[in-house]
Amino acid sequence: MTENMMPELTLEPTAVASAVPTLTLDPTTPAVPEVEEKKVEPVEMDEKLLTEEEKKAVEEFSKKIDIRDTNMVLQYGAAAQKSVASFSENALNNVRSKDLGEIGGDLSQLVVELKGFGVGEEEKKGLFGLFKKAGNKLESMKAQYSKVEANVDKIAESLEKHQITLLKDVAMFDQMYELNLKYYKELTMYILAGKKRLEEVRNGEVEELRKKAEASGLAEDAQAYNDMVNMCNRFEKKLHDLELTRMVSVQMGPQTRLLQNNDTLMIEKIQSSLVNTIPLWKSQMVLALGMEHSRQATAAQSAVTDMTNELLKKNAEALKMGTIATAKEAERSVVDIETLQHTNQQLISTLDEVLNIQKEGAAKRQAAEAELGRIEGELKQKLLELRG
């Protein structure tokens, strides 16, 4: 692919012409070649997966299988299944106990510490603040550098511990991978031995029981044949369970390698931080402290000049404002005419409100007297009606 994408240089002028696209008036588009779908060849479960020694062991073991023994059928290959389950659990516990998020947190904290250097506190206002800044900036940088350096060293120590743990895990994953291969081979042998024995029973004993039941016509012979068929079916299901466990073991192989690769990548990242990032940061800090020496005197002088000009401007403005305010106050009367106008309006408004309240009270009293007379008349009228 690299050779096809590499441009080819030439001194022939005709070579350029051949690279020009061909134009056409044909509205039909050229046919797009179909992508051939890759055929996946299924893996056949046969003795090709075994060595000669393993084939012999499978042959001998298959003869010991008694399909009639229900307990044997239930426990067949259980040890290998438990081994795979235990293997998966150990791998899961390893992932749980190794918190890669903690490593990422340390790396993130390292970045925060390195970026945080040089972000000082808010500058103090006033001439004293500027003098203090000019005089103590270098000491402040040194103190901040010492604090950040201590935090960085702690993070580096934590990363080194993580790196040692990851190196041990990488070696452990190699052992786990080899152990998983053993479980995979063991399950394969169990399955092949079981299938071999199952085929022998179905072609031999089951067929004999079928013929016997057909010939005798007896119910017990038919039941014996049916029981044997059911036993074979149960054993076949057990073999299927083993095949599922075997597939788990098959998947654990690449999964183990993926975990191992993740740990290896994290080890490389930690190593880069320890040997590149941190030393580079320290060398830059040395340069920053050196530059501050040459800048300190100029910064202090500049601050004094700026503050002097600022104070002169503020004093001139303060004198102007004070003089104007004093002149205005001197020309002002003891009592402002606006105050007298406001007081007079409030007095008139108060008298008007009192007069209105008195008028409303008199009207309400007259209405109450009339209402009392009416009430008394109604009461007398009611009493006369009762006497009549």
Side-chain angles (χ1 to χ4, degrees):
M1 184 180 294
T2 305
E3 294 178 356
N4 294 336
M5 295 177 62
M6 184 67 182
E8 184 178 352
L9 304 181
T10 179
L11 296 176
E12 296 294 332
T14 56
V16 179
S18 61
V20 177
T22 303
L23 303 180
T24 179
L25 296 176
D26 188 355
T28 59
T29 58
V32 179
E34 297 182 358
V35 179
E36 295 184 2
E37 184 178 356
K38 294 182 179 180
K39 295 182 180 179
V40 179
E41 294 293 337
V43 177
E44 297 181 2
M45 180 70 70
D46 54 21
E47 293 186 350
K48 294 178 182 179
L49 302 174
L50 306 178
T51 63
E52 292 299 326
E53 185 179 358
E54 291 170 344
K55 291 178 182 178
K56 184 178 180 181
V58 166
E59 180 68 26
E60 294 176 355
F61 184 76
S62 66
K63 296 176 181 179
K64 300 177 183 179
I65 301 174
D66 184 6
I67 296 180
R68 293 178 180 274
D69 189 343
T70 304
N71 187 57
M72 178 182 288
V73 171
L74 290 175
Q75 298 299 325
Y76 185 79
Q81 285 182 305
K82 290 180 181 178
S83 297
V84 173
S86 177
F87 175 84
S88 301
E89 185 66 23
N90 290 336
L92 181 60
N93 290 335
N94 180 268
V95 174
R96 287 174 178 171
S97 61
K98 182 176 73 279
D99 188 3
L100 290 180
E102 183 179 350
I103 301 176
D106 287 341
L107 292 173
S108 299
Q109 185 62 30
L110 176 61
V111 174
V112 171
E113 290 291 345
L114 299 186
K115 284 186 176 181
F117 180 82
V119 181
E121 299 179 354
E122 184 179 358
E123 296 179 1
K124 295 183 179 180
K125 303 299 182 180
L127 185 60
F128 175 75
L130 290 175
F131 270 116
K132 187 174 182 180
K133 176 188 174 185
N136 296 339
K137 179 65 179 295
L138 186 60
E139 294 300 323
S140 176
M141 288 183 64
K142 289 180 179 179
Q144 188 181 12
Y145 172 76
S146 298
K147 179 181 178 181
V148 174
E149 185 183 27
N151 293 336
V152 169
D153 289 340
K154 289 180 181 179
I155 295 173
E157 183 179 355
S158 177
L159 289 175
E160 287 175 352
K161 292 179 180 179
H162 287 312
Q163 187 180 30
I164 294 173
T165 301
L166 291 174
L167 288 171
K168 292 179 180 179
D169 289 344
V170 168
M172 182 201 63
F173 278 130
D174 280 331
Q175 297 177 359
M176 292 178 66
Y177 184 82
E178 296 299 328
L179 191 60
N180 183 64
L181 287 179
K182 176 180 174 295
Y183 296 150
Y184 162 77
K185 180 66 71 173
E186 186 177 352
L187 286 167
T188 302
M189 294 175 68
Y190 271 116
I191 295 169
L192 291 176
K195 286 187 174 182
K196 188 176 187 65
R197 181 57 180 163
L198 182 62
E199 184 179 2
E200 291 175 354
V201 172
R202 281 177 170 172
N203 293 335
E205 192 172 351
V206 173
E207 189 64 22
E208 291 175 1
L209 289 175
R210 184 186 65 79
K211 292 178 180 179
K212 182 179 179 181
E214 291 178 352
S216 66
L218 297 176
E220 56 266 28
D221 291 340
Q223 185 62 47
Y225 165 71
N226 186 61
D227 290 344
M228 196 63 191
V229 170
N230 288 334
M231 291 178 183
C232 290
N233 291 337
R234 283 198 297 272
F235 188 61
E236 186 177 19
K237 291 179 181 178
K238 181 62 179 179
L239 295 179
H240 179 67
D241 289 341
L242 291 178
E243 289 180 346
L244 295 178
T245 305
R246 177 179 174 272
M247 180 52 61
V248 172
S249 179
V250 170
Q251 293 176 348
M252 282 301 296
Q255 289 172 352
T256 302
R257 289 306 190 198
L258 284 175
L259 290 174
Q260 187 180 41
N261 184 62
N262 290 340
D263 285 354
T264 303
L265 292 176
M266 189 58 65
I267 291 172
E268 294 174 352
K269 190 172 185 63
I270 293 175
Q271 185 71 14
S272 177
S273 297
L274 294 176
V275 302
N276 293 325
T277 304
I278 296 176
L280 179 61
W281 172 78
K282 290 184 177 181
S283 64
Q284 292 300 311
M285 290 308 98
V286 172
L287 294 177
L289 292 172
M291 291 174 61
E292 184 62 21
H293 279 288
S294 61
R295 193 191 65 85
Q296 188 176 24
T298 303
Q301 181 60 42
S302 176
V304 171
T305 302
D306 293 342
M307 182 54 66
T308 301
N309 291 329
E310 184 177 352
L311 287 175
L312 290 174
K313 290 179 181 179
K314 286 185 177 180
N315 288 337
E317 291 177 359
L319 179 61
K320 176 183 177 181
M321 298 300 296
T323 302
I324 294 174
T326 301
K328 288 183 178 179
E329 190 64 26
E331 297 298 327
R332 184 179 177 185
S333 301
V334 176
V335 179
D336 293 338
I337 190 64
E338 291 82 1
T339 302
L340 295 176
Q341 291 176 347
H342 177 73
T343 303
N344 190 58
Q345 290 295 331
Q346 292 296 320
L347 180 60
I348 294 172
S349 175
T350 301
L351 294 175
D352 290 340
E353 290 183 7
V354 170
L355 181 61
N356 291 333
I357 291 171
Q358 292 175 349
K359 290 180 179 180
E360 290 177 0
K364 288 181 179 180
R365 286 194 296 273
Q366 291 178 0
E369 290 177 0
E371 182 65 17
L372 290 173
R374 187 184 65 78
I375 293 173
E376 183 177 0
E378 288 181 352
L379 180 60
K380 290 180 178 180
Q381 183 66 29
K382 194 62 171 180
L383 293 173
L384 293 174
E385 291 177 358
L386 293 175
R387 293 173 183 175

